[in-house]
Amino acid sequence: MAEHKEIDQPTGTEKVGHEWDGIEELDTPMPRWWLWTLYATIVWGVAYTIAYPAWPMIEKASDGLLGWSSRGDLHADLAAEEERRAPMTRAIAQIPIERLPEDSELLRFAVEGGRSAYKVNCVQCHGSGAAGFPGYPNLNDDDWLWGGDLQAIHQTLEHGIREPGNRESRYSEMPAFGELGILNRDEMNDVVSFVRVMSGQDSASNASRRGQAIYDIQCSSCHGADGTGNRDLGAPNLTDSIWLYGGDRESLYRTVDQSRYGIMPSWGNRLDPVTVKMLAAYVHSLGGGEELVEQDDSTEVDTNTDDAPDPVTQNERPAG
Amino acid sequence: MNDQPANLTDRETNQFFEARKKVFPRRIDGSFRRLKWVIMVVTLAIYYVTPWLRWDRGPYAPDQAVLVDLANRRFYMFSIEIWPHEFYYVAGLLIMAAIGLFVVTSAVGRAWCGYACPQTVWTDLFMHIERFVDGGRREQYKLDDAPWGPKKVAKRLTKWTLWLLVAIATGGAWVFYFADAPMLARELFSGTAPQTAYFSIFILTMTTFIFGGFMREQVCIYMCPWPRIQTALMDDQSLQVTYKHWRGEPRTRGIKRAKAMQAEEVDASSLLPPGDCIDCKACIAVCPTGIDIREGPQIGCITCALCIDACDEVMRRIDRPEKLIGYTTVEDEKLAMAGKVPEPPLKRLLRPRTLIYFAIWAGIGLAMLFVLGNRSRLDIDAGQIRNPLAITLSDGDIRNGYVIKLRNMEQRPRDFVVTVEGIEQAELWTDLQSRAEATRQIRFEVPADSVARRTLYLAAPAEGPERSDILFTVTALDDETATASAPTNFNRTGN
Ligand code: SF4
Ligand code: SF4
């Protein structure tokens, strides 16, 4: 085709050789500016790869003359974001945890911050939706072993549960009634029968009546005569519908026989005070959060929650 | 200059590109030229003035009549305010703009290109500036060929400065649509405006300067896709600028020559009677894209009708009827050649093709107006929290969680009440409350012109269907008729 060129007579332009319905395509040259634009883009492309990281080398890609990197951008962005949040985080650091709800804007900020801290630190045990697993409490419900108000949750987060070596960590241990030889098989079965009656899962039987006598002696000191538990000891309420290790006969028997309890690390050692507060606010917001029961002398309530002694009023907090 | 076949010289000297042939059109006056003036003034005025119009919306919204508020994601147009979730109105407007072009093109051809396209309007303006500085067509060509000297440099600098001023004003006006105009203007001059504002102005200034000053018809011919699409929208009944060759050919050379030919008494049967075109090339001289309309319809013609004005002037001078070049349709052209009377213009305009385009265009417009008139300024979204789905509470009740979004689109803070239907004994509380405070309805205050996002918990007895359909309803406290609802589910099992 390249050999014999056909020329379109009226315009003097070469033909490409294509024809559709009598319309022929001419090989009209590009305008000069467009050609130069093409060259310019090629030059630009090469210059760009020299200015920015691009060329693959043996170890890593070329650094680029401008020294730009996406990691550097990210660091700058993170620093700017931290700067932006500083007024809020400072306010949270200064306010005692139980007074957080007084400032709804601050509370919202804390809940959102807690949500992301939760996703990093807590999902491994309590699940991404905080619904827990057998042995790991569901944080969405309204049953709390050690209390569900902001202060109680904060204390649990700060010092953990049964953490060895932490004097302020919450601590309790149920005796392994079977393994320690306190109760025999039949007695344990009777106690289980009684607990199931107490929680409304079974109706009373001879076994449960026998179990009640054993319960009164062995269990009522912690779980209460009526079975509603004791939060000071982390003793579960046995009359409600929520079971940490399961409420069926088999699970209950194993709990009585071997005793079961979990360990939670103290997050006060690992996270900064603001994050721990935000986590408490988040957990409290999951639906089962309880209202703070005012104590006799409310000014003395706050003992181990924060590092800034002077509470800040809402007006002093910079808007942000 | 147009005797040579278009591309031959470049073809011979260089295989790879075609140098642009400079076009310096001659000034012309006439009815179409005056129409162009009017359209230029009106469109430029709309463009430059709109951002400065004020519109009172109360204390919670900007008072700029037309504003694209990207930061707050609002679009204001006089009394209409568009939220991001209502973006279909903008999409609808864009579709209407496209179909509007279909209507216009099918009826009157490339009227958009010839009169209203920004490229045409600014190129036209730049050409006037050019004539003002350099003088008429002849001087412009002479100056262009002349070697660089003090005079040429001075003239070029003057021209480019003037162009640049227009270009800056053009780029500068654009950013005012995206921010409060008086405030931005002050910031621009004091150097405190956002970087993006300066950058946008720079880009738009440069494109205006280069496209309007130097590229001109090259943009229309090589860069713009619209001429190619328009060809498909036009048919034999669309108006276009046409040289009536049956009337003009064979051409004569000047008035005297025409008279002489008549006097020669040649054999009338062997020669056609001379046509009306005296080959004065006035039509070529005024054409802003530098084409010869006598070669027939072509992609370079933007139907600006300046050649009509030019030729009419000539026809008046040689005492021939006007409109040797005129707006006509291919069909009318055929009728005229056969010596018949062309159809009335209205019949050409009102034909199935234009009517269908118009019906679609008007249909979309009416539908949008209807929806706009009936839209509610209150909206609720209810998204169920699915992780976990259902939670057993200590008393055996089941709890579900929902993330509620309340959109208060009024320009004032309002109190709303959210209730739930479809489930007996429902207890509602928020994530900032405890269940002890649960009620049957929750009250929210939503600030003016904003969205409130809240988590709601709903507890109900465990006895009941596994899954119930429920409906969250929000009602304004100050106006019971302002209400919206969102359906969702209540699940009793699943985690
Ligand atoms: S202006 Fe009219 S008369 Fe003159 S060349 Fe063009 S068509 Fe012919
Ligand atoms: S040929 Fe006539 S109508 Fe077409 S662009 Fe040129 S002057 Fe305008």
Side-chain angles (χ1 to χ4, degrees):
Chain A
M1 189 197 99
E3 288 313 304
H4 39 89
K5 288 173 182 164
E6 266 188 85
I7 300 290
D8 175 57
Q9 281 316 316
T11 61
T13 311
E14 213 173 281
K15 290 179 188 173
V16 176
H18 304 150
E19 193 216 291
W20 296 272
D21 286 344
I23 300 173
E24 283 184 282
E25 191 183 344
L26 304 185
D27 188 12
T28 309
M30 285 170 113
R32 177 164 34 191
W33 56 266
W34 206 321
L35 197 67
W36 283 109
T37 308
L38 175 66
Y39 294 149
T41 56
I42 293 170
V43 172
W44 168 265
V46 173
Y48 194 88
T49 62
I50 295 170
Y52 286 94
W55 298 99
M57 303 295 194
I58 292 165
E59 293 266 283
K60 58 192 199 78
S62 60
D63 279 338
L65 289 182
L66 295 185
W68 178 91
S69 75
S70 53
R71 179 179 287 258
D73 258 13
L74 176 68
H75 281 312
D77 284 354
L78 285 178
E81 181 62 17
E82 203 148 298
E83 179 78 8
R84 203 175 63 78
R85 292 184 182 174
M88 286 300 224
T89 48
R90 215 175 307 126
I92 292 176
Q94 286 172 356
I95 200 167
I97 182 77
E98 70 277 4
R99 289 189 46 209
L100 203 50
E102 288 169 16
D103 183 342
S104 63
E105 199 192 340
L106 204 56
L107 183 60
R108 291 230 168 268
F109 182 86
V111 167
E112 289 312 313
R115 190 192 305 280
S116 43
Y118 179 92
K119 294 273 189 293
V120 178
N121 299 293
C122 314
V123 288
Q124 294 83 344
C125 292
H126 292 282
S128 60
F133 302 100
Y136 300 89
N138 182 342
L139 305 177
N140 292 279
D141 64 29
D142 58 344
D143 192 22
W144 301 92
L145 291 171
W146 301 91
D149 60 61
L150 267 173
Q151 262 183 3
I153 294 171
H154 186 258
Q155 151 77 14
T156 301
L157 273 158
E158 177 93 1
H159 298 291
I161 305 287
R162 303 185 186 91
E163 194 188 59
N166 187 332
R167 279 192 302 120
E168 286 182 78
S169 188
R170 297 185 138 144
Y171 197 87
S172 70
E173 215 171 279
M174 170 166 151
F177 288 96
E179 285 184 350
L180 294 175
I182 303 170
L183 298 175
N184 65 29
R185 248 167 199 289
D186 293 338
E187 290 169 324
M188 286 194 286
N189 267 322
D190 291 346
V191 168
V192 166
S193 300
F194 176 62
V195 169
R196 284 185 55 87
V197 171
M198 214 167 12
S199 58
Q201 298 184 85
D202 290 336
S203 42
S205 62
N206 284 335
S208 78
R209 275 184 280 276
R210 287 195 304 273
Q212 180 164 17
I214 303 165
Y215 176 92
D216 286 343
I217 300 165
Q218 301 288 355
C219 317
S220 60
S221 55
C222 290
H223 291 282
D226 56 355
T228 50
N230 183 343
R231 284 182 172 181
D232 291 335
L233 301 170
N237 182 345
L238 303 178
T239 65
D240 65 18
S241 311
I242 297 171
W243 298 95
L244 187 51
Y245 293 92
D248 54 301
R249 282 204 75 91
E250 218 170 303
S251 303
L252 286 172
Y253 183 89
R254 210 184 129 203
T255 304
V256 177
D257 183 20
Q258 298 169 4
S259 154
R260 298 203 265 199
Y261 48 84
I263 293 173
M264 169 159 145
S266 74
W267 291 97
N269 295 338
R270 310 172 183 216
L271 302 174
D272 62 280
V274 171
T275 307
V276 175
K277 274 187 192 168
M278 294 204 289
L279 275 173
Y282 172 64
V283 171
H284 188 265
S285 80
L286 284 171
E290 293 171 353
E291 274 195 276
L292 197 67
V293 183
E294 290 290 329
Q295 302 195 355
D296 306 340
D297 193 351
S298 53
T299 51
E300 267 178 23
V301 164
D302 160 50
T303 50
N304 49 14
T305 44
D306 65 20
D307 40 356
D310 52 337
V312 179
T313 68
Q314 218 171 316
N315 298 341
E316 282 168 305
R317 190 175 57 75
Chain B
M1 54 158 279
N2 247 55
D3 301 340
Q4 286 259 325
N7 302 317
L8 203 57
T9 30
D10 287 310
R11 202 76 201 151
E12 282 159 355
T13 52
N14 193 313
Q15 287 281 316
F16 299 114
F17 64 75
E18 178 184 45
R20 176 181 174 230
K21 283 181 293 299
K22 297 227 173 77
V23 181
F24 295 114
R26 181 164 73 79
R27 180 203 302 274
I28 183 69
D29 190 28
S31 48
F32 289 107
R33 177 63 259 183
R34 285 193 288 272
L35 176 63
K36 261 176 88 74
W37 276 119
V38 170
I39 292 175
M40 183 203 276
V41 168
V42 170
T43 50
L44 287 180
I46 291 174
Y47 175 69
Y48 287 115
V49 170
T50 305
W52 299 89
L53 300 177
R54 301 289 103 183
W55 192 269
D56 186 16
R57 295 191 180 83
Y60 295 99
D63 66 346
Q64 185 155 321
V66 177
L67 177 66
V68 184
D69 189 350
L70 290 178
N72 299 308
R73 305 198 298 164
R74 297 279 184 282
F75 176 48
Y76 300 97
M77 203 167 151
F78 300 99
S79 63
I80 301 169
E81 181 196 333
I82 307 239
W83 280 47
H85 71 283
E86 298 173 310
F87 199 75
Y88 44 78
Y89 288 118
V90 179
L93 277 182
L94 292 176
I95 292 171
M96 277 183 76
I99 296 176
L101 277 175
F102 289 10
V103 178
V104 170
T105 304
S106 62
V108 292
R110 294 180 65 183
W112 168 259
C113 297
Y115 302 97
C117 174
Q119 173 65 19
T120 296
V121 171
W122 267 283
T123 299
D124 205 22
L125 186 60
F126 277 36
M127 282 175 174
H128 289 301
I129 295 173
E130 192 168 56
R131 272 186 221 123
F132 172 73
V133 175
D134 292 348
R137 186 170 196 248
R138 214 178 300 275
E139 285 98 330
Q140 286 179 2
Y141 275 112
K142 230 179 17 209
L143 191 67
D144 193 54
D145 288 339
W148 285 93
K151 192 180 155 216
K152 186 168 174 177
V153 170
K155 286 213 162 179
R156 282 288 183 267
L157 283 180
T158 319
K159 181 171 84 175
W160 290 341
T161 310
L162 288 174
W163 280 357
L164 210 53
L165 287 177
V166 174
I168 290 170
T170 307
W174 181 252
V175 296
F176 290 139
Y177 284 86
F178 295 85
D180 183 58
M183 206 172 76
L184 183 62
R186 244 175 284 130
E187 289 177 351
L188 281 172
F189 284 113
S190 64
T192 53
Q195 291 254 293
T196 27
Y198 291 110
F199 187 68
S200 309
I201 293 178
F202 173 75
I203 293 286
L204 288 163
T205 302
M206 289 328 285
T207 46
T208 310
F209 185 65
I210 294 170
F211 285 9
F214 301 96
M215 310 255 316
R216 296 187 175 175
E217 81 288 347
Q218 302 264 304
V219 174
C220 310
I221 296 173
Y222 293 103
M223 292 167 73
C224 181
W226 188 228
R228 278 115 187 126
I229 301 165
Q230 276 175 317
T231 320
L233 297 170
M234 288 164 67
D235 54 25
D236 287 355
Q237 306 187 48
S238 309
L239 274 180
Q240 57 191 60
V241 174
T242 315
Y243 167 69
K244 295 165 187 164
H245 62 94
W246 53 271
R247 214 190 102 184
E249 305 290 327
R251 302 168 195 174
T252 50
R253 276 259 175 210
I255 304 171
K256 278 192 198 124
R257 189 80 181 276
K259 296 247 167 75
M261 270 173 75
Q262 278 163 349
E264 265 175 33
E265 288 289 339
V266 283
D267 181 4
S269 61
S270 72
L271 263 181
L272 286 165
D276 280 348
C277 176
I278 57 167
D279 209 14
C280 62
K281 299 204 169 73
C283 50
I284 303 170
V286 299
C287 178
T289 64
I291 59 166
D292 184 351
I293 189 64
R294 296 173 302 170
E295 284 173 3
Q298 50 207 288
I299 202 148
C301 176
I302 56 170
T303 68
C304 64
L306 293 183
C307 54
I308 302 182
D309 280 346
C311 189
D312 278 356
E313 202 179 86
V314 175
M315 289 301 115
R316 278 196 298 271
R317 223 178 315 137
I318 64 167
D319 239 358
R320 299 292 306 159
E322 292 183 357
K323 302 289 176 279
L324 171 56
I325 305 175
Y327 266 118
T328 185
T329 68
V330 173
E331 290 279 314
D332 280 343
E333 189 61 0
K334 280 186 203 146
L335 287 175
M337 267 194 284
K340 292 182 192 136
V341 192
E343 297 275 354
L346 201 61
K347 202 185 157 205
R348 292 289 180 223
L349 292 181
L350 305 180
R351 58 182 201 274
R353 188 181 184 117
T354 53
L355 291 178
I356 289 171
Y357 285 151
F358 182 78
I360 298 174
W361 180 84
I364 297 175
L366 288 176
M368 286 211 326
L369 276 181
F370 180 76
V371 178
L372 201 63
N374 290 298
R375 69 182 181 161
S376 155
R377 300 279 75 196
L378 167 62
D379 196 23
I380 182 172
D381 270 358
Q384 193 172 10
I385 296 174
R386 305 198 160 265
N387 177 22
L389 193 55
I391 291 290
T392 305
L393 297 176
S394 51
D395 63 1
D397 284 355
I398 302 293
R399 193 204 84 197
N400 282 199
Y402 305 87
V403 175
I404 306 274
K405 271 195 213 162
L406 291 176
R407 295 193 187 89
N408 173 20
M409 294 176 259
E410 300 265 356
Q411 303 296 355
R412 62 198 157 101
R414 287 183 102 179
D415 281 319
F416 298 106
V417 146
V418 174
T419 53
V420 66
E421 285 159 49
I423 197 144
E424 293 293 309
Q425 294 162 281
E427 288 179 58
L428 286 172
W429 71 99
T430 73
D431 59 342
L432 301 185
Q433 294 175 307
S434 65
R435 195 186 173 191
E437 302 165 73
T439 48
R440 302 275 309 172
Q441 54 179 35
I442 303 272
R443 185 175 161 151
F444 291 112
E445 191 195 315
V446 186
D449 192 34
S450 59
V451 191
R453 194 173 178 275
R454 298 281 185 266
T455 305
L456 269 190
Y457 296 117
L458 166 58
E463 299 77 43
E466 250 185 46
R467 180 184 162 120
S468 331
D469 291 325
I470 58 170
L471 188 72
F472 279 104
T473 304
V474 58
T475 313
L477 278 180
D478 56 0
D479 175 11
E480 301 268 301
T481 60
T483 172
S485 46
T488 178
N489 304 304
F490 182 80
N491 292 63
R492 285 191 170 78
T493 55
N495 193 355

